[in-house]
Amino acid sequence: MRERRTPPPASAQELLINLGRLVDDALDRIKFQRARVELAIALQRHMLPPTLPTLPGLQLAARYAPSQNGLDVGGDWYDAFLMTDGTVGIAIGDVEGHDVEAIAFMGQVRTSLRALAGPTTDPGEVLSHANDLLVSMGCTRFATCCFLRFDPISGDLAISRAGHVPIVWACADGSSGVALDHGGPPLGVVSGERYPVSRLRLLTAGSLVLLTDGVVEGPNYPIEEGLAEVARLVCAGFGDDPDALAAEVVKVADLTGHSDDAAVLVARYNGIPAAA
């Protein structure tokens, strides 16, 4: 004889129904958050260059480590391209915030720099024009940026910074340093700003490292110590594959205890070409 099951009391039935609704709501929120993250990641991937170009006299490599908070995506970006006069434009930047809006603004900044670097080869003027353009668009965010113009034939390097972390460099002749020029304020704050340019000549093969503050600054490290650690790595590995060097430099972010995005772009310079 089959045993009859006693139905749960009405109060228990209501509890089970309410629990089911809570589970359904939680699953919907998880699906929404996952879709939001996937959208943000897709946007960021689209805004960054899918591959770094092959440029005369240079080998390029990059690394990106996402934020430890929020959507795991943000406004850090990098770019490299051939300029109209045959020199190379290399840029890295960091947009305020960690959300989809930050990614969209990052795309505006990167596109503006590319467009302005066509008719204007001076990196300080490029940043000045980009700043005025962003302010005129009524942007509610700001961005830091380091933009440099490099001539692989002469080894001449012109650097301009808008509130951004300085670059680190080292050459095969033993020379090295951190480009501690004064720079200017972040982009998109006040129109009419001018950005000074510092100049350097690399006489032998070497490496340039551009990075964002998430690499060298965190609760465990002041920025000076982070930059010193990057300089040590660059000096120790000036002849390394740029991809290997970029992988080592981005690990500095783990030492700093960073919660911000961290981006690294390494340019390996082959040296002044021998005269024909």
Side-chain angles (χ1 to χ4, degrees):
M1 184 175 180
R2 178 178 294 180
E3 181 181 354
R4 281 191 172 185
R5 294 185 178 180
T6 304
S11 58
Q13 288 181 337
E14 290 176 3
L15 175 61
L16 291 173
I17 291 171
N18 289 334
L19 283 174
R21 288 172 179 166
L22 289 173
V23 170
D24 287 341
D25 289 344
L27 289 174
D28 287 342
R29 286 195 295 271
I30 291 171
K31 290 176 182 176
F32 173 76
Q33 180 67 7
R34 183 179 300 160
R36 190 163 168 249
V37 170
E38 289 174 353
L39 172 62
I41 291 172
L43 274 172
Q44 186 177 53
R45 188 179 299 117
H46 179 72
M47 294 296 182
L48 291 173
T51 58
L52 290 169
T54 301
L55 298 170
L58 288 176
Q59 297 168 282
L60 302 170
R63 285 291 188 280
Y64 172 81
S67 166
Q68 302 302 305
N69 299 318
L71 284 174
D72 284 342
V73 290
D76 284 20
W77 60 276
Y78 50 82
D79 202 1
F81 50 90
L82 195 63
M83 298 177 72
T84 54
D85 62 351
T87 60
V88 176
I90 304 176
I92 195 164
D94 185 359
V95 169
E96 173 197 13
H98 298 91
D99 50 28
V100 174
E101 288 77 13
I103 299 169
F105 186 48
M106 174 258 281
Q108 291 178 313
V109 176
R110 177 175 168 245
T111 302
S112 298
L113 278 180
R114 274 226 176 198
L116 293 166
T120 306
T121 56
D122 181 271
E125 289 185 26
V126 172
L127 290 184
S128 294
H129 293 324
N131 175 66
D132 291 346
L133 176 62
L134 294 171
V135 171
S136 70
M137 292 166 60
C139 297
T140 58
R141 305 207 179 203
F142 65 85
T144 68
C145 180
C146 177
F147 181 58
L148 62 88
R149 171 179 168 268
F150 184 61
D151 186 343
I153 302 300
S154 66
D156 288 333
L157 180 64
I159 310 162
S160 191
R161 294 189 298 126
H164 199 78
V165 181
I167 72 166
V168 181
W169 59 274
C171 289
D173 62 4
S175 60
S176 63
V178 177
L180 293 173
D181 56 290
H182 292 294
L187 304 176
V189 180
V190 179
S191 63
E193 295 288 355
R194 293 295 174 261
Y195 295 86
V197 176
S198 60
R199 303 185 186 276
L200 180 69
R201 173 167 287 183
L202 305 182
L203 299 177
T204 62
S207 296
L208 307 171
V209 178
L210 290 77
L211 39 80
T212 57
D213 59 0
V215 179
V216 292
E217 188 174 28
N220 302 334
Y221 257 46
I223 190 169
E224 294 81 9
E225 290 185 24
L227 284 170
E229 178 63 18
V230 171
R232 185 189 68 78
L233 290 171
V234 178
C235 290
F238 64 81
D240 290 349
D241 182 317
D243 193 65
L245 182 55
E248 286 300 312
V249 170
V250 81
K251 291 178 184 176
V252 175
D254 297 330
L255 300 175
T256 65
H258 82 108
S259 59
D260 198 0
D261 303 85
V264 175
L265 177 60
V266 173
R268 173 74 172 89
Y269 173 48
N270 297 331
I272 300 173

